[in-house]
Amino acid sequence: MQFIKFEASYAARVATLLNDFLPFEPETAETVLAAEGVRYICVDGKDVIGYVAGYIIEDVNNEFPYFKEELKDFIELIEQNKTMYTSHFVVHPGYRKQGIGSKLVELYMDEAMRQAEKIVVVGWVQSDLGLWAAERQFMQYPFEQVAYIKRYFEPYEVDCPSCGGLCYCDANIVMR
C-alpha cells in the first residue's frame, strides 16, 4: 500500500470508491478532477482504497445552509478565519481496521494545518446506531465539538441515498 497526494490519473478510481462507499452525491472523474484543496489517497496496486479531501471555505452559507441560528457563533468564527472544510473521507470496507484511515487523516491534518487557521469536520452520525464511523481517526486531534444537531437534514426534506429516503443522520460538527 502506498499513501500519496491525489494525482489526476486516479480520478476515475476515486469516483468509483466514493460512489460505492460514500454515496452523498454521484461522482465522476470530472467532478473529482474539478475539486481542489488538500487530497490524499491510499492505493493498493492500481486500486484506490482510501481517500480524504478538504478545501478552504469560500462561502460559509453554501457549506452550512441550515440551522443558521444554532450555528451563528460557529459561522462567525469561520468568516473570521481561513477555514478548511473536510469534504470527503472513505476507506474501502475490505481494508478498514488496518490503520489506513488514521494515516490518511494524519497526512490530511498535517497539510490542512499549514494552509488554514481552522479545520471543520462534520461527522454524519447514524441516528439509529449513534455511530460516526470516522470519529476515532479525527478526534485523536484536539477537535472541539461546535454543535450536535439531531437529524440535520430531516426538516429540509433532503433525500439521502445512504438513508434510503429522507436523511435521518445527525450532524456532529467539530472544529480545530
Side-chain angles (χ1 to χ4, degrees):
M1 282 181 274
Q2 185 181 13
F3 295 89
I4 59 173
K5 282 190 173 188
F6 171 79
E7 297 174 1
S9 62
Y10 290 100
R13 286 173 269 178
V14 168
T16 298
L17 179 72
L18 293 172
N19 290 329
D20 288 348
F21 304 110
L22 195 68
F24 289 121
E25 295 179 15
E27 298 282 357
T28 64
E30 291 75 25
T31 61
V32 171
L33 284 170
E36 296 182 3
V38 175
R39 302 187 289 167
Y40 285 91
I41 60 175
C42 179
V43 294
D44 187 13
K46 292 186 177 190
D47 296 326
V48 174
I49 59 171
Y51 178 68
V52 65
Y55 53 86
I56 299 296
I57 295 175
E58 299 294 332
D59 180 0
V60 69
N61 294 309
N62 185 52
E63 301 304 334
F64 296 95
Y66 310 121
F67 295 96
K68 295 291 188 188
E69 188 57 36
E70 292 87 342
L71 298 175
K72 188 176 109 180
D73 293 341
F74 168 66
I75 289 169
E76 287 178 15
L77 194 58
I78 290 173
E79 291 173 335
Q80 296 168 4
N81 294 278
K82 188 174 185 181
T83 304
M84 179 84 54
Y85 179 77
T86 307
S87 59
H88 295 85
F89 176 58
V90 62
V91 174
H92 186 290
Y95 289 85
R96 292 181 183 161
K97 304 222 184 270
Q98 297 180 35
I100 295 166
S102 294
K103 181 64 175 177
L104 283 169
V105 169
E106 176 188 332
L107 293 166
Y108 169 77
M109 289 297 295
D110 287 348
E111 183 66 25
M113 288 187 290
R114 284 193 285 276
Q115 293 187 26
E117 298 162 314
K118 301 284 183 185
I119 301 167
V120 171
V121 178
V122 178
W124 298 110
V125 179
Q126 295 173 305
S127 296
D128 55 343
L129 301 176
L131 175 67
W132 172 24
E135 184 171 12
R136 182 177 49 84
Q137 286 85 5
F138 281 100
M139 295 310 284
Q140 66 183 334
Y141 295 87
F143 279 92
E144 292 183 29
Q145 187 177 55
V146 172
Y148 190 97
I149 300 174
K150 299 287 285 175
R151 298 184 180 245
Y152 183 81
F153 291 114
E154 189 177 51
Y156 305 96
E157 298 184 359
V158 172
D159 191 50
C160 173
S162 294
C163 294
L166 292 182
C167 186
Y168 63 84
C169 291
D170 300 344
N172 187 21
I173 303 170
V174 298
M175 179 180 263
R176 179 191 194 308

